[in-house]
Amino acid sequence: MTQRVLLIISGGIAAYKALELVRLLRKRGIAVRAVLTQSAQQFVTPLSLGVLTEDHVFTQLFDLKDEQEIGHIQLSRQADLVIVAPATANILAKMANGIADDLATTLLLATDKPVLAVPAMNVRMWHHKATQRNLERLHADGVHIMTPDDGAMACGEFGKGRLPEPEAIAAEIERLLALPKAPDPLADQPDFAREARLFSTSLETDGALVGKHILITAGPTHEPIDPVRYIANRSSGKQGFAIAAAAAQAGARVTLVAGPVHLPTPPGVTRVDVETARQMLAAVEAALPADAAIMVAAVADWRTADAPDQKIKKDGTGQPAPLALVENPDILATLGHHANRPTLLVGFAAETQHIADHAQAKLAKKGADWIVANDVSGDVMGGDANAVQIVTAAGIESWSTLPKSKVADKLIEKVAHALAALAD
Ligand code: C5P
């Protein structure tokens, strides 16, 4: 079957290279449909692109004829891959912030297909903190980003920011088209939202959580090495998000402090997005007081001692760059010994061996009431099922392997009973 790409061309001098890219893609048997932003039309014409793509070229959001014949939503979904090349600093900023003020950016917000951005801009614009922040954001959102080439620029300066050669872009497009199709991110929504709703009829909380404040952390943290690299882990955030969904379902006021994950916010949950452990701690402390706190996040134990503003380069000696690490604050332990300690404090412990023993030791060390211990030696991280043991001062409860949404429901029921018992 013919593979199709939607090529969005934004307005930089490198736009002329998009014509060569189209030619190379067509030579590889890939169908190309092109969209030009208004400024891109200063550099290439719809006519030349139309000839090369042998298709209509789209330029206007409110072009009635285009809307009637295809509609911008379908246009964004009919391709196997959406490419922005060249991607100017301006379109990257809009993408990072979800701005949809013309046809190109509306398509980028509406698409359910993978997106490849190929930046090209002046070297200073590339290194600007705002651009780097936007790139980090897009990367966290799952956008594939090609690194620009170094070299002489049209503006006379020299450095990083040149559009990669069309051959290199075409090769990257072929590679992405060959990848197995990623699941639709919205497919996650029914998983916890629908299942939490299904199970909610059997959620036995007797209204004990109505109006209670439950604070939850979820997902990994990203600890920057330099502006483009970071230390991360495999946490998907699914278990924490499922717990937040169940708590909201039980009538609690829920604050969910989430590391960088690709999950939609469960209905009725207040979400605070963070990247690093220190940001997560600050957001958690800002959310206090809480009746219960459930710390599910896989917080990075270490961060780099310092993250320079510029990308670390190879120095030519063949020696790797030294990476000095320092320990991150322990958020759970901080809460365990906090003046504003939540009434009920629950930690998670991801272990690969001696699970219950380690969890028991953690209870005391972190000042938590319960530790939910799980064996992550299989595919728990990122998977949909979890087998947990609840370790409390009273002993150990082992639950059979359950969907994460069911683990969430049972845990929220247990939290409800504990808070009700404490109130008596
Ligand atoms: O010590 P360990 O990382 O196994 O502890 C896991 C528990 O501690 C989890 O609840 C996790 O959210 C929390 N934690 C934390 N801050 C850290 C490390 C872990 O809150 N820096």
Side-chain angles (χ1 to χ4, degrees):
M1 217 176 73
T2 309
Q3 291 191 295
R4 321 186 139 270
V5 297
L6 184 70
L7 175 63
I8 295 173
I9 304 172
S10 66
I13 179 69
Y16 77 92
K17 290 193 190 169
L19 297 175
E20 175 64 2
L21 176 62
V22 172
R23 204 183 59 77
L24 293 173
L25 293 174
R26 296 297 314 276
K27 228 168 84 181
R28 287 163 155 89
I30 297 169
V32 184
R33 182 164 266 181
V35 173
L36 281 167
T37 64
Q38 204 175 356
S39 29
Q41 291 170 60
Q42 305 293 321
F43 299 97
V44 287
T45 65
L47 180 63
S48 44
L49 265 170
V51 170
L52 285 171
T53 57
E54 295 182 276
D55 199 348
H56 180 72
V57 175
F58 295 81
T59 55
Q60 296 289 325
L61 182 55
F62 297 111
D63 182 324
L64 269 185
K65 181 168 164 291
D66 292 348
E67 268 309 302
Q68 275 165 6
E69 280 177 9
I70 174 158
H72 64 273
I73 301 291
Q74 287 100 304
L75 182 57
S76 74
R77 312 256 169 101
Q78 282 171 343
D80 299 297
L81 178 69
V82 179
I83 303 147
V84 192
T88 59
N90 181 50
I91 202 164
L92 291 170
K94 287 186 186 177
M95 288 166 73
N97 289 285
I99 293 172
D101 63 354
D102 62 3
L103 177 62
T105 47
T106 303
L107 294 172
L108 285 160
L109 205 57
T111 190
D112 58 355
K113 296 299 186 304
V115 177
L116 168 68
V118 193
M121 67 196 71
N122 167 271
V123 56
R124 288 194 186 279
M125 292 170 84
W126 170 258
H127 285 301
H128 196 286
K129 281 201 171 118
T131 303
Q132 292 301 321
R133 205 167 46 231
N134 291 332
L135 289 165
E136 258 182 59
R137 183 89 227 193
L138 289 168
H139 181 76
D141 288 348
V143 173
H144 302 278
I145 298 165
M146 275 185 90
T147 308
D149 284 350
D150 282 302
M153 324 221 106
C155 53
E157 289 188 274
F158 190 91
K160 191 170 285 302
R162 283 169 59 90
L163 189 79
E165 287 309 316
E167 269 293 352
I169 304 174
E172 179 63 5
I173 290 169
E174 272 199 314
R175 188 185 74 80
L176 292 174
L177 286 173
L179 290 180
K181 298 274 171 287
D184 176 358
L186 289 185
D188 276 335
Q189 182 105 38
D191 182 37
F192 51 75
R194 182 175 47 78
E195 282 189 40
R197 220 168 297 134
L198 279 178
F199 283 122
S200 69
T201 45
S202 59
L203 253 184
E204 287 168 16
T205 54
D206 291 333
L209 294 183
V210 175
K212 298 281 185 212
H213 183 207
I214 302 196
L215 172 60
I216 296 162
T217 63
T221 61
H222 284 181
E223 309 296 333
I225 295 172
D226 65 17
V228 289
R229 308 181 178 101
Y230 55 84
I231 301 172
N233 61 62
R234 295 188 190 281
S235 168
S236 67
K238 285 182 185 173
Q239 184 64 81
F241 273 58
I243 293 169
Q249 203 69 44
R253 181 166 69 83
V254 181
T255 306
L256 172 62
V257 181
V261 292
H262 300 282
L263 292 174
T265 310
V269 167
T270 303
R271 172 175 182 172
V272 184
D273 283 313
V274 296
E275 300 240 339
T276 67
R278 285 186 294 175
Q279 289 167 358
M280 188 172 274
L281 174 60
V284 162
E285 289 196 286
L288 293 175
D291 296 287
I294 310 175
M295 305 284 96
V296 197
V299 184
D301 288 323
W302 302 282
R303 67 174 183 277
T304 52
D306 69 310
D309 285 345
Q310 305 292 332
K311 186 180 170 199
I312 301 170
K313 309 281 291 174
K314 284 183 275 195
D315 67 3
T317 63
Q319 293 300 312
L323 209 57
L325 298 178
V326 292
E327 204 167 312
N328 263 331
D330 190 312
I331 302 167
L332 177 60
T334 305
L335 282 195
H337 304 101
H338 206 278
N340 231 341
R341 184 188 189 278
T343 313
L344 181 71
L345 181 58
V346 183
F348 267 63
E351 304 284 357
T352 53
Q353 56 181 351
H354 309 305
I355 298 159
D357 290 350
H358 285 159
Q360 207 107 43
K362 223 159 265 183
L363 259 191
K365 201 174 100 199
K366 306 228 183 192
D369 298 302
W370 307 343
I371 291 286
V372 182
N374 55 349
D375 184 349
V376 290
S377 51
D379 67 348
V380 165
M381 282 196 144
D384 290 316
N386 207 355
V388 303
Q389 293 175 292
I390 315 288
V391 182
T392 72
I396 299 178
E397 240 179 77
S398 294
W399 296 353
S400 55
T401 303
L402 294 167
K404 285 183 175 173
S405 56
K406 192 68 186 150
V407 170
D409 286 348
K410 280 180 65 112
L411 189 65
I412 286 303
E413 281 178 0
K414 197 171 163 68
V415 167
H417 295 155
L419 286 183
L422 285 170
D424 283 344

